[in-house]
Amino acid sequence: MKLSFLVLLFFSVPAFSQDCNLQKDKDPITNLPKISTGFFNLQTATLSIDADSKNIDFFFTVDNSGKCFDYESSMVINFEGGRLKMTLRNSGTVNCEGYFHFTFRNGPSTPTQLMNLSTKKVVSMKFIGTNKTETSITLVPQQQQLLMDLTACMIKESKTLLGN
């Protein structure tokens, strides 16, 4: 009986482990390794999370023709429960194609804001572009879980790039 319990436990553990199916590549300019989630849908936006030895980059494309972002643009993230919010500035270029970036340093310790993205469900995001124009996105439960899981995978896997 004990043996059958141990066998069952042994085979059930991989079913609960996180599946980090990330794309591995080399940066064409520096020739250093990088990893990416590839683009995935979040309502009216797509997101790709990329990491190299220095940064973890969240790259959004907002589906709003003519959506402009500059260095003063920001994004407000609301977490489940409604008490925790996070505001991030655009770290990408000035554009009117709907591209919005924010980055975190990749290092031995994980920034608190990045840890929150991997441990708390994001309910909604509001992009505030030039001229204070706003675009809001409300995530469905599957997208909330996907964002949280992929962020956790990226944090874990990005640590392997630190020696490069």
Side-chain angles (χ1 to χ4, degrees):
M1 182 70 174
K2 289 181 184 176
L3 181 61
S4 63
F5 177 72
L6 288 174
V7 169
L8 180 64
L9 181 66
F10 177 72
F11 286 111
S12 64
V13 169
F16 293 112
S17 66
Q18 203 169 42
D19 182 24
C20 290
N21 192 10
L22 302 175
Q23 302 166 9
K24 297 177 180 174
D25 201 2
K26 288 197 180 240
D27 186 284
I29 297 169
T30 63
N31 208 27
L32 293 174
K34 67 178 186 173
I35 52 178
S36 176
T37 61
F39 281 98
F40 56 97
N41 288 323
L42 299 174
Q43 298 303 76
T44 59
T46 57
L47 169 62
S48 177
I49 308 171
D50 301 322
D52 59 22
S53 61
K54 296 182 188 216
N55 295 309
I56 299 174
D57 178 40
F58 286 70
F59 174 42
F60 289 87
T61 58
V62 181
D63 296 341
N64 235 356
S65 61
K67 185 68 178 168
C68 296
F69 295 112
D70 60 15
Y71 300 115
E72 298 298 317
S73 297
S74 61
M75 174 183 189
V76 178
I77 296 175
N78 294 303
F79 292 96
E80 190 173 56
R83 299 185 112 192
L84 182 62
K85 289 183 179 185
M86 177 173 23
T87 302
L88 300 158
R89 288 239 181 254
N90 180 31
S91 63
T93 59
V94 174
N95 70 85
C96 284
E97 287 85 31
Y99 301 150
F100 189 96
H101 284 267
F102 60 85
T103 58
F104 297 99
R105 290 298 279 164
N106 186 13
S109 62
T110 304
T112 302
Q113 289 182 318
L114 182 57
M115 189 57 75
N116 285 341
L117 287 170
S118 71
T119 58
K120 296 174 179 28
K121 291 184 178 181
V122 173
V123 175
S124 65
M125 297 179 269
K126 181 170 51 174
F127 296 90
I128 304 165
T130 56
N131 300 326
K132 304 293 181 203
T133 58
E134 295 182 3
T135 302
S136 295
I137 298 171
T138 302
L139 303 182
V140 297
Q142 296 86 357
Q143 293 169 331
Q144 294 171 8
Q145 189 65 46
L146 178 64
L147 176 59
M148 195 170 71
D149 290 346
L150 288 175
T151 303
C153 277
M154 188 57 73
I155 290 170
K156 179 181 154 207
E157 293 297 318
S158 68
K159 303 296 183 208
T160 64
L161 301 174
L162 292 176
N164 296 319

